[in-house]
Structure formats: C-alpha cells, structure tokens
Amino acid sequence: MPRFLWRRLLTTILTLLAASLLVFVVLNFLPGSPAQVILGTQATRAAVRELTVKLGLNQPLWMQYLHWIGGLLTLHLGRSYISGQPIAPEIGSALSVTAPLVLLGLLVGVAVAMPTGVVSALRHRRASGTILAAATQLGIAIPNFVLGILLIIVAAVYLRLLPASGFTPWTTSVVGALQSLALPAISLGLVEGAILSRYVRTAVLGVLSADYLRTARAEGMRRHQALLRHGMRNAALPVITVLGLELSGLVIGAVVIEAVFTLPGAGSLLLSSVANRDLIVVQDLVMLVAAVVIVTNLLVDIMYRVVDPRIGLGS
Amino acid sequence: MIGGRPWKRSPVRGVTAVAAVGLLLAACSSGGSPGKAQPLKTLTIGSSNVFPPTLDPTANASQAIDEVIDYNVLQHLVQLAPNGTIVPILASSWKVSSNNQVFTFTIRKRVRFSNGDILTPADVVFSLRRVFAPSSTYPYAKVFDVASVATVATDQVQVTLASPSWEWLYDLAAYSNGVILDPRTISSMATDPVGTGPFKVAGEVTNYSVSLTRNGRYWGYLPQVAGVTFRYFTNPNDLNAALQSGQVQMIDNLSTPQDLGLFKSNSAYRVTAGLTNGKVQLTLNNAYGPLQNKVVRQAIAYATDKAAIIKAASGGYGIPAGSDTVPADPYYLNLSGTYPYDVAKAKALMRQAGYGSGFPLALTLPPYFYAQLAAPLIVSELGAIGIRVTVSTIDFPLWISQVFEGGAFQATIIDHAEGRDIGNYGTPGYYWHYAQTAQVAAELRAANAAPTEAGWIAGYRQVLRQITADAVNDWLYIIPNLTVARKDVVGLPSTAYTESLDLAYVGLGGSIPAAARSLGFSS
C-alpha cells in the first residue's frame, strides 16, 4: 500500500481521537447531572447519590473517558444512562431512518445538480442558462425546513399524495418506509442539489475554456464529445470535494428535517438525548457523525488519486 | 395494633368504591361488550410529552412514563379515581390502625400478571420493600417512610409506617412509587414492564411511539379497544395537524391553549379541561436580597393580575391558586382572595419596605409554554411597581441543576405538578429557602399525629394560612389538563389528579359502565 495511504490513515485516527476528547470534555461541562435529571425534583438525596454511583458518574473524569473510549474501540457503545438498555440497537434503529434519508437526499441532490449544472454552463450565454442559474440561486436561498413545510402543505395536506409526517418501519412495509422518506429526502436533496449545481456549473465553465478542450475541438471533436472524453474528469475534482462537504451538510440537515417530519432518526435521538442528559448516547452519536465526516474526507482524498493520478500526494 | 375501623379515612366513600368495583367485575365477566362482537379498533393518542426515556416508572421521574404505564400496565394496591377518591385495585379491601400507622391490605384473589404469573402477597411485599430499600432509586420521596412490610396471613400484607401519616395511603395510590411488580420480570422493566393492568406493552419505536395492547388476562373490566398507541410530537402544530388529519384520535395535554380555538367550535371534537394538582407559581428565592423581606413578597403578590395571567398563559382555563393547594385536597382552602390585584397597595408596600424606587430582579425560566406565556405579563406588572425584571430561559436539566439544586436564582416560574406537596414547605434547604421551614415541618408532623381527620385537616390549613401570609411564593393559577378528543372516544378520565392517563374504561364508540361514570370517567 502506498505511503500516502498510511499517512492519511494515521491522520484520520489522530483526528478521531482528538474529536473524541473534545466531545467528551465539552459534554461533561454541560451543566445538569444525569442522575438529577432522571430522578426529577421529588427524589430523596440518597436516591440521587445512589444513582450517581450506579451510573459510574462518581468516578474521576479521566477514568470515565478511558472506560468510554475503551468500549468504543472494542465496539461496545455502552448502556444508556436513562433506559439502561444497550445503545447500539438504539442507534441502529435510528440509523435505519437517517442513513437512507441522507443517501436518498444525496441521490436527489446529485440528480438535480448534474444536469442543471452542466446545462446552465453550456448555455451560460443564453436566456435558458441564466434562468436555470437563477433557479438554483433561489434553491440555495430557501432553508430546507421551510421547503419541508411547503412540501407538507402542498403534497401531503392538499394533494394527499404522501404522508405528512411519521415513519412506517422497514419491517412493516418497504414501500411505506420509502413513502415516509420521500418528502424529507426531497426537501433535503433539492437544497443541497442547488448548491452543488453551482459548483458543477463553475467547474464545467472552467473546463470549457481550457486549452486542452480547445485542442480537442481543433482536432475535430464536437463540444459534447470533447467534454465527455477530456472535460468530465477534470471538472469532477472540485465537485467531489464539495460532494464530500455536502455529505456532512446532509447529515446535519437531517437533524432539522427529522424534526419537521417527526421521523425517529438519529437527529431526534440526539436532541432527546441532550434534553435527557443521556450523555453517553450523545457522545456515541456525535462520535459517529464525526467518524462519518472524517472517513468521508479520507475517501474523497482517495477518490482524487483515482480520478487524477497526477496527484502524487506525499510521494 | 389494628384498630376496628376499616375505611377510616372516609368510610362511606370507601364502601361505595368497593361496591362499584364489584359491580364492574360482575359486568366484565362476559367481556363487557354488549351486542354482537365487532372487531375492536386501536386508539392512537397524540401526546405533547417527550418520548418516555424508559418504560420503568420506578427508575425515572419523567411524567411521560407514568402517562402510559402507571395504572394502565402497572397497578397499585389502591388507586386514585378521576373523582379524587381512593379505590381498591389489587387490594380488595384494607384496614387502618387507629393511630394511622399500620395498614393491612387484603390482596385480591385470582389476579394474574399479563405474562400469566399469579399475583401473590409475596409480590406485594417485594414491590413495597423495593421502594424504601437502602439502594432504592425510586423517583419520588413518597411511600418511603415505612418501618416494615410483611405477609400476615395467606392473603394479607401489613405495612407499618415509621410514624403516623394521614398522607401515606394517598401517596401509595397517587404516586407511581406504589406500583406492584412481578419480581421475575425486573430485569426487563425498561422495555417491557409486566403488570396486572388492563393493557400490556406491545412495543415501542424510539422517539416515535409506544404501543399497548389489551391484556386478555385482565381481572377487571376490559377496555373496548384492541390497543392504544401513544405518538409523540415535539411541535404543537404537528400534533394539531395530526388530529385534524385523523392520524391521531385525541391529544393528551394540549400545551398551547391558544390553539384550542381550532377545536372548540368544531362539533367533531370534545375539549376537556381537567383539574390537576399543578400549581403554577412565581417562585421567589426568599434568601435573595429584597425578597428576604415578607412585605416585598406581599407587594409582588398584590402586583400580579392572576385573571390576566390565566387568560394569557392558559387560554382562560384554570383557576386562581392562592396557596399550595388544589380543590382535590381534603385540606383545601381557597386563599386566592388574600392578595387581590391592587397596584396602589403594592406600591405602598414597596415604599413601606424601603424599596420605593424598586430593584432589579432576574427571572430564570424553564422552556415550558406556560412559563414563556406568563413571563411578559409578569415583567410588565412588576415593572409597574418599580421591579425591573430581566428574563432568561434555560433548558430543563440546567434549570434543575442551577435553580432547583443550586438555589442560584432570584425568581422563576414553574408548575409544581405533584399532588399534596405541601411538605416542600417543611423541607430543609428546599430551593425557595423559606425561613420558617423547621417550624412548618414540626406543624406538619403534629398534624399527621392528630387522632382525627378533622385534626389533621385543621393542622394543614394552619400551615396553608401561614405560608400564604408569609407570601413565600406568588401562586398564580392551577393549570388545567386540556385534552381534545374525537367525539367517539369514550371513557376518558375527567380530571388529571395523577400523572397517569387512566385508560381502564376507554373505548371507541359505545358506552361505559355506570359505575365507571360515577368514578369520574366521561361517557
């Protein structure tokens, strides 16, 4: 394996470790003791003390950290402070909503961005191209939750095409689950697609004025032929970078969209765990999101090499 | 030890309750459904509560757990009916010793848990001992003061209190600490609490819903639904839309009373404003500078217009509180006339206390609607007598650690939702730092040792008068429990004196037994 990969892998691991330390420290500074939140305002002091000990929250912080991180390394996410249940199935069930939502959102985004970006670049001197570019500007300006509420009103309340909120579990009905995810994925994907479309447009425009494309045209290739053969790879580089960033945007956007559509996903789990001071669940979830983002970055770097072998990073 | 006075607290009511339950038992032996059998439907309830953090009410104080599990899945020896009476449930009868210290319960026969296990007196002893065990983490400081619990006959359990109490039986009935558990199922309580109630847990989807199905082994009247699903909504608008679009058939506890207009004028829905134990109060830190002065606290009580606050924060529903008591309390006193809205009087008191030019006051709010809606009025009303209020809002865990535990606050608005919680005024170090705590504690103890109910009531009323005269807090109003249900939902409790939403008689269409109506379930 090339040295570049080893170095990137090492950086990734160090970043993850730093992230875990940050998450742990910040969350443990969050005021409000889990034991007190669990037992409320009417419990005896003895009961609160007893629970603090039971949860292991009377141990020194460094020991709690080591215990947690040791668990993560051996794939033991621990047990929720609040329900006493293993966390892994809880996160798994939340991810069965959020992961498809994010992927569908990405799909919608790419499906929107690629054609609109390329077409608005090819026609950038014509009215149709300008209108398309203006439309994507509008898409960027609309926050995804506003779009979500608009979609609920139009598609669910007036047209009654799709459910307004809620989630049908995959085990009950795959079609039902997809139906529950359709509107949220569209509201998530359209906005991200609009942003992505701008980058695609800029990248294609840059390629169109490149020397090698002019040479290809001079050799007798038609414009779209030249673009497909020589242009796409070059235009893809900035788009892949943005796509990597967009993915983390989608994960964060999903937190908001899940609230709008009352979906029982990772976003809802994160919010309720913060409210309940179920710190260990919050730690696990934030680490998961951090890991997804960091690993995505790693994949993007590897993709660079695949798309453009000239990038010799580190050798 | 046992006196010859069964049903001591209220003999007449007690006996009627037994008769009523007897009638219900007779009525239910055929399943309780008249006419030809139709497939039962599932009732879906939209709740404004947070999703229950666990389904074990003995491990967490969240009201969302009691709403679903208490009374419906897990039952008590005695329970509080919606009309406020204590009724026999897993105890078929009970006796109280003349000094109010020894309670002997006869355990109901032929009761099974939903998993088929037979309820035994040993299960009752196990459950009650679990409350006050040294390692207990039960969420309420109630039902704790027990010296011993033991089986005294094949079907009897005897509880001896550490000291006499007129409150203990009520606490056992009203607080979820009183649930009777199957000792063989303790390890699965968080996800599948097994009880003797009319429903059993069918499943849950985290942060989304909890489903109950009818317990076919139930010993009493079988509710006329196949099951009940609670769905959780963080946004009131989503909840209202779900009722309007038919995704849910009722809303338990509408948190935004201003939305009532959507349903009040629509004949398809029924709006119920049930009485609760919730006292919304402007809590004053009696240890903070100007608030140490009783006269200043009285000025604040005169300066706040309770009627206007009820209108703004509670859509006009709710009644003025006046003190730490609600009409359901046996010792209730309507003291809401003590400090009528009178700005001139309030200003005069401020001058008398030496604060003619006012003082700054920080109002720290929890994120709840009632507090947010009442705050602007409080700010302007206190501003009128020179108190310059600055408002900040913090999340509830922070409120608990900073305001409630730390006592680091000047004033806050909070709903004290627990029933008969006057004992807080005798709790040393309680967050409002009342100066006469020790004296109140002694008075409450003396009242509980009174040989007659009248003596106990008189003692408690004396405490009420005292804390009201001292204007310890500014009691604003008694918060209503607003439910909105489709017309065909029957058998709902007409009040919310407990945190449970008691669904023992719920049905979709049809009618409910007359005995249930007399206990306060709506027809």
Side-chain angles (χ1 to χ4, degrees):
Chain A
M1 192 147 54
R3 244 176 65 200
F4 137 75
L5 214 55
W6 283 115
R7 283 224 330 229
R8 280 300 282 115
L9 224 55
L10 189 69
T11 330
T12 305
I13 289 167
L14 286 178
T15 318
L16 279 171
L17 213 60
S20 75
L21 204 61
L22 195 70
V23 167
F24 183 82
V25 169
V26 168
L27 283 178
N28 276 282
F29 272 109
L30 197 66
S33 109
Q36 186 72 58
V37 173
I38 289 167
L39 294 184
T41 56
Q42 296 288 308
T44 62
R45 279 173 204 278
V48 175
R49 253 195 323 274
E50 184 69 27
L51 187 61
T52 308
V53 173
K54 262 187 205 168
L55 296 176
L57 295 173
N58 59 332
Q59 291 174 347
L61 278 183
W62 61 268
M63 218 152 117
Q64 291 182 42
Y65 174 75
L66 286 184
H67 194 248
W68 172 58
I69 206 75
L72 282 190
L73 288 177
T74 52
L75 291 181
H76 289 104
L77 300 190
R79 279 172 183 273
S80 154
Y81 291 157
I82 306 291
S83 66
Q85 295 301 300
I87 295 170
E90 221 170 289
I91 290 185
S93 127
L95 284 183
S96 78
V97 178
T98 305
L101 173 62
V102 169
L103 288 179
L104 284 173
L106 193 66
L107 213 65
V108 171
V110 171
V112 167
M114 288 305 162
T116 56
V118 172
V119 169
S120 66
L122 289 178
R123 309 193 162 198
H124 72 284
R125 282 187 220 281
R126 296 192 218 163
S128 55
T130 314
I131 291 170
L132 213 51
T136 56
Q137 291 277 28
L138 187 69
I140 296 171
I142 299 178
N144 55 19
F145 63 91
V146 174
L147 187 63
I149 293 167
L150 281 175
L151 283 174
I152 290 179
I153 293 172
V154 176
V157 176
Y158 282 110
L159 303 177
R160 294 190 175 251
L161 290 174
L162 290 161
S165 71
F167 185 70
T168 312
W170 294 98
T171 46
T172 310
S173 154
V174 173
V175 177
L178 285 173
Q179 278 176 341
S180 339
L181 289 178
L183 288 184
I186 291 171
S187 23
L188 201 56
L190 273 187
V191 175
E192 298 297 321
I195 299 171
L196 197 59
S197 168
R198 298 294 299 175
Y199 285 95
V200 173
R201 180 176 180 270
T202 313
V204 173
L205 274 179
V207 166
L208 280 177
S209 61
D211 292 344
Y212 59 83
L213 212 73
R214 197 183 48 198
T215 312
R217 292 290 304 276
E219 283 173 355
M221 275 193 192
R222 304 180 72 91
R223 192 164 69 151
H224 69 266
Q225 278 180 322
L227 200 60
L228 277 177
R229 274 264 318 257
H230 302 291
M232 275 313 181
R233 266 194 173 211
N234 285 295
L237 276 184
V239 174
I240 288 174
T241 311
V242 177
L243 209 58
L245 294 174
E246 290 269 288
L247 193 65
S248 35
L250 281 167
V251 172
I252 292 155
V255 175
V256 179
I257 285 297
E258 281 172 14
V260 172
F261 288 92
T262 61
L263 294 173
S268 314
L269 184 61
L270 188 63
L271 287 180
S272 70
S273 302
V274 171
N276 288 330
R277 291 297 186 271
D278 204 347
L279 296 185
I280 185 135
V281 177
V282 181
Q283 283 167 205
D284 285 351
L285 269 172
V286 174
M287 268 315 285
L288 186 77
V289 174
V292 166
V293 171
I294 291 168
V295 170
T296 308
N297 278 338
L298 177 69
L299 291 179
V300 166
D301 278 2
I302 296 172
M303 280 292 283
Y304 279 164
R305 292 262 305 192
V306 175
V307 174
D308 187 352
R310 283 173 307 180
I311 300 176
L313 301 168
S315 54
Chain B
M1 281 293 278
I2 308 163
R5 290 190 288 160
W7 313 106
K8 184 173 173 192
R9 164 171 280 181
S10 175
V12 180
R13 282 193 309 197
V15 171
T16 19
V18 170
V21 171
L23 276 175
L24 293 182
L25 280 170
C28 79
S29 50
S30 64
S33 56
K36 64 174 183 217
Q38 279 184 342
L40 292 168
K41 292 187 212 122
T42 296
L43 170 69
T44 307
I45 299 173
S47 174
S48 60
N49 264 324
V50 296
F51 180 81
T54 155
L55 296 184
D56 179 358
T58 69
N60 191 300
S62 171
Q63 196 235 318
I65 306 165
D66 292 348
E67 178 190 31
V68 180
I69 302 297
D70 199 17
Y71 289 14
N72 297 322
V73 175
L74 301 175
Q75 296 188 300
H76 305 209
L77 289 175
V78 291
Q79 288 179 189
L80 206 61
N83 67 0
T85 54
I86 293 174
V87 293
I89 300 290
L90 294 181
S92 50
S93 66
W94 71 89
K95 288 179 190 167
V96 186
S97 72
S98 59
N99 68 346
N100 261 317
Q101 200 165 359
V102 182
F103 295 76
T104 308
F105 298 94
T106 302
I107 308 305
R108 191 178 296 280
K109 291 188 183 64
R110 287 180 294 281
V111 172
R112 280 177 188 273
F113 289 96
S114 60
N115 62 359
D117 290 351
I118 294 172
L119 172 76
T120 65
D123 299 336
V124 174
V125 171
F126 168 85
S127 302
L128 295 181
R129 281 185 181 159
R130 194 167 174 263
V131 182
F132 62 90
S135 62
S136 165
T137 53
Y138 273 53
Y140 300 106
K142 299 278 182 184
V143 197
F144 265 80
D145 42 359
V146 176
S148 69
V149 181
T151 313
V152 286
T154 50
D155 63 343
Q156 285 192 332
V157 170
Q158 194 172 77
V159 178
T160 307
L161 305 188
S163 61
S165 172
W166 285 94
E167 294 279 15
W168 191 81
L169 199 66
Y170 170 87
D171 291 344
L172 187 72
Y175 285 90
S176 60
N177 277 10
V179 291
I180 301 301
L181 310 169
D182 181 349
R184 292 154 291 273
T185 62
I186 295 301
S187 58
S188 62
M189 288 271 291
T191 51
D192 185 18
V194 172
T196 53
F199 293 96
K200 58 183 176 181
V201 174
E204 56 176 328
V205 180
T206 305
N207 285 318
Y208 188 68
S209 67
V210 178
S211 302
L212 308 179
T213 51
R214 201 163 77 149
N215 170 15
R217 291 200 174 92
Y218 185 47
W219 56 271
Y221 172 86
L222 275 173
Q224 294 303 296
V225 289
V228 176
T229 298
F230 286 81
R231 256 196 72 186
Y232 298 89
F233 293 82
T234 43
N235 181 339
N237 291 331
D238 297 341
L239 180 49
N240 296 340
L243 180 60
Q244 286 171 312
S245 68
Q247 284 182 306
V248 304
Q249 283 100 52
M250 73 170 275
I251 295 176
D252 185 31
N253 206 359
L254 192 78
S255 52
T256 49
Q258 66 270 27
D259 292 339
L260 268 183
L262 288 173
F263 307 105
K264 227 170 22 181
S265 52
N266 188 334
S267 63
Y269 304 108
R270 180 167 34 211
V271 174
T272 312
L275 289 168
T276 70
N277 292 311
K279 300 146 295 269
V280 175
Q281 61 184 47
L282 176 63
T283 302
L284 303 171
N285 187 343
N286 286 214
Y288 164 68
L291 299 181
Q292 290 174 349
N293 189 335
K294 177 168 92 176
V295 180
V296 170
R297 299 197 301 265
Q298 289 171 336
I300 290 174
Y302 276 116
T304 50
D305 181 357
K306 277 51 168 200
I309 291 168
I310 290 174
K311 213 166 171 186
S314 198
Y317 291 91
I319 54 175
S323 191
D324 189 62
T325 183
V326 301
D329 298 336
Y331 50 83
Y332 176 69
L333 265 186
N334 185 353
L335 294 170
S336 63
T338 313
Y339 303 104
Y341 179 50
D342 187 340
V343 179
K345 176 105 192 201
K347 281 180 175 166
L349 287 172
M350 288 288 280
R351 278 194 300 276
Q352 180 195 327
Y355 290 100
S357 53
F359 58 87
L361 182 72
L363 181 61
T364 311
L365 300 179
Y368 302 130
F369 282 105
Y370 60 84
Q372 301 295 327
L373 292 170
L377 269 179
I378 302 265
V379 171
S380 72
E381 286 168 353
L382 295 187
I385 63 165
I387 301 177
R388 299 177 294 282
V389 181
T390 47
V391 179
S392 61
T393 300
I394 54 182
D395 79 345
F396 193 59
L398 188 53
W399 186 93
I400 288 191
S401 82
Q402 189 178 316
V403 176
F404 186 79
E405 269 299 290
F409 75 108
Q410 296 170 6
T412 184
I413 299 174
I414 190 76
D415 169 18
H416 273 265
E418 285 80 14
R420 303 194 190 176
D421 57 2
I422 190 174
N424 289 340
Y425 289 82
T427 305
Y430 207 65
Y431 76 114
W432 49 62
H433 302 298
Y434 178 37
Q436 314 300 328
T437 303
Q439 185 201 333
V440 166
E443 283 173 11
L444 292 173
R445 250 195 322 275
N448 268 311
T452 63
E453 187 171 21
W456 166 64
I457 288 175
Y460 269 41
R461 285 186 169 164
Q462 183 47 41
V463 171
L464 283 178
R465 287 195 194 91
Q466 184 188 333
I467 60 173
T468 309
D470 285 345
V472 180
N473 294 306
D474 186 13
W475 297 277
L476 302 175
Y477 66 99
I478 297 163
I479 199 167
N481 185 62
L482 298 170
T483 58
V484 185
R486 250 174 37 187
K487 273 273 159 63
D488 59 338
V489 182
V490 299
L492 293 173
S494 56
T495 64
Y497 288 137
T498 63
E499 299 201 331
S500 154
L501 177 66
D502 190 343
L503 297 170
Y505 296 100
V506 84
L508 280 165
S511 59
I512 65 165
R517 276 202 297 277
S518 68
L519 289 174
F521 292 91
S522 70
S523 51

